[in-house]
Amino acid sequence: MEDSNSNSKKKIVVFASGNGTNAVNIYHYFRNNKNIEVSHIFSNNKKSKVLRRAHDLGIKCVHFEKEDLYDSPSLINVIKDIDPSIIAFAGFLLKVPESFLAAFPKQIINIHPSLLPKYGGEGMYGERVFRKILKNRDKESGITIHYVNEEYDEGEIIAQIKLELNNDEDLNSLEEKIHSLEYEHYPKVIEKLLT
Ligand code: GAR
């Protein structure tokens, strides 16, 4: 694990566990920005697509074990060395312990694929959220960007963006709509927080 304090840009560290399309989207959004950059992508999942994507793009990536988050100060120290302005969760599925939150107050944010508090909480991520929305035949849905606290999906809300749902919405169409909304808004919300 290495540090990247070689320039004066504000740094975003992205945490992701799975696919990583949001992580890569955030990276691309800031790629030519003079003041802000995605400096690292961290993942707890060694086999995740996000680590492969980050590696292919030449983004510094760090794999850590779940225990590093819960049981030792080493992960906190590595991130403190990087000195990010924001830690952005993008499909990161682990609960965050108090020690980690206390080390980065008001700096950790998350994106969730529903209008919280609807369809939040433990086990509610990705496709599971979409299936519930479809089952309930909701007329609208959207995304939530919020600060992270010690409970799943319960931190202070920063932004919510809504969209209307059609009667014939299916898993694919809903997923596509939500992802488009995420790609459009998450980087902008991060930028706003940093400027
Ligand atoms: C995103 O849709 C994000 O909102 C969701 O995981 C997906 C990750 O996609 N997060 C949650 O459900 C958190 N509870 P990606 O890996 O392709 O960016």
Side-chain angles (χ1 to χ4, degrees):
M1 295 196 237
E2 65 212 293
D3 97 26
S4 72
N5 284 329
S6 54
N7 62 51
S8 60
K9 288 185 181 183
K10 286 186 179 167
K11 296 182 182 64
I12 302 162
V13 163
V14 180
F15 270 49
S17 301
N19 231 343
T21 62
N22 274 284
V24 167
N25 178 61
I26 297 165
Y27 167 76
H28 283 305
Y29 183 88
F30 289 105
R31 204 170 34 161
N32 297 317
N33 191 300
K34 290 193 180 69
N35 305 311
I36 301 169
E37 68 175 1
V38 170
S39 68
H40 293 71
I41 293 181
F42 279 65
S43 182
N44 59 307
N45 181 357
K46 203 170 191 168
K47 294 192 174 141
S48 60
K49 274 196 188 157
V50 67
L51 285 182
R52 171 137 354 130
R53 289 182 203 271
H55 178 262
D56 290 349
L57 286 163
I59 309 168
K60 289 176 186 159
C61 39
V62 179
H63 166 253
F64 63 95
E65 300 292 342
K66 197 173 172 181
E67 297 72 45
D68 295 330
L69 185 61
Y70 297 112
D71 299 334
S72 86
S74 63
L75 184 65
I76 291 176
N77 291 336
V78 168
I79 296 171
K80 285 269 178 203
D81 272 354
I82 295 169
D83 192 23
S85 299
I86 286 238
I87 300 171
F89 288 3
F92 181 66
L93 301 179
L94 297 179
K95 204 166 186 177
V96 183
E98 182 58 42
S99 56
F100 194 87
L101 292 169
F104 305 103
K106 278 272 177 184
Q107 283 178 285
I108 312 175
I109 65 172
N110 180 45
I111 188 160
H112 187 80
S114 74
L115 296 172
L116 291 172
K118 269 191 143 181
Y119 310 119
E122 187 162 9
M124 290 302 281
Y125 56 86
E127 204 178 295
R128 295 187 188 191
V129 176
F130 304 139
R131 285 192 187 282
K132 287 256 182 196
I133 293 168
L134 291 171
K135 196 172 169 212
N136 289 344
R137 298 187 160 272
D138 288 357
K139 295 273 175 282
E140 66 168 19
S141 187
I143 61 170
T144 303
I145 295 158
H146 63 94
Y147 288 105
V148 173
N149 70 8
E150 58 286 346
E151 301 301 333
Y152 279 112
D153 305 321
E154 286 187 14
E156 181 192 339
I157 290 174
I158 300 164
Q160 287 192 308
I161 301 101
K162 292 182 182 175
L163 64 84
E164 276 183 26
L165 299 180
N166 299 327
N167 290 333
D168 61 350
E169 216 73 66
D170 63 17
L171 205 53
N172 283 339
S173 66
L174 178 56
E175 196 164 349
E176 205 177 302
K177 281 182 179 176
I178 293 287
H179 274 146
S180 306
L181 219 55
E182 293 185 330
Y183 301 153
E184 185 185 346
H185 292 280
Y186 201 15
K188 286 184 191 162
V189 169
I190 292 172
E191 189 171 31
K192 216 167 156 189
L193 288 172
L194 292 178
T195 50

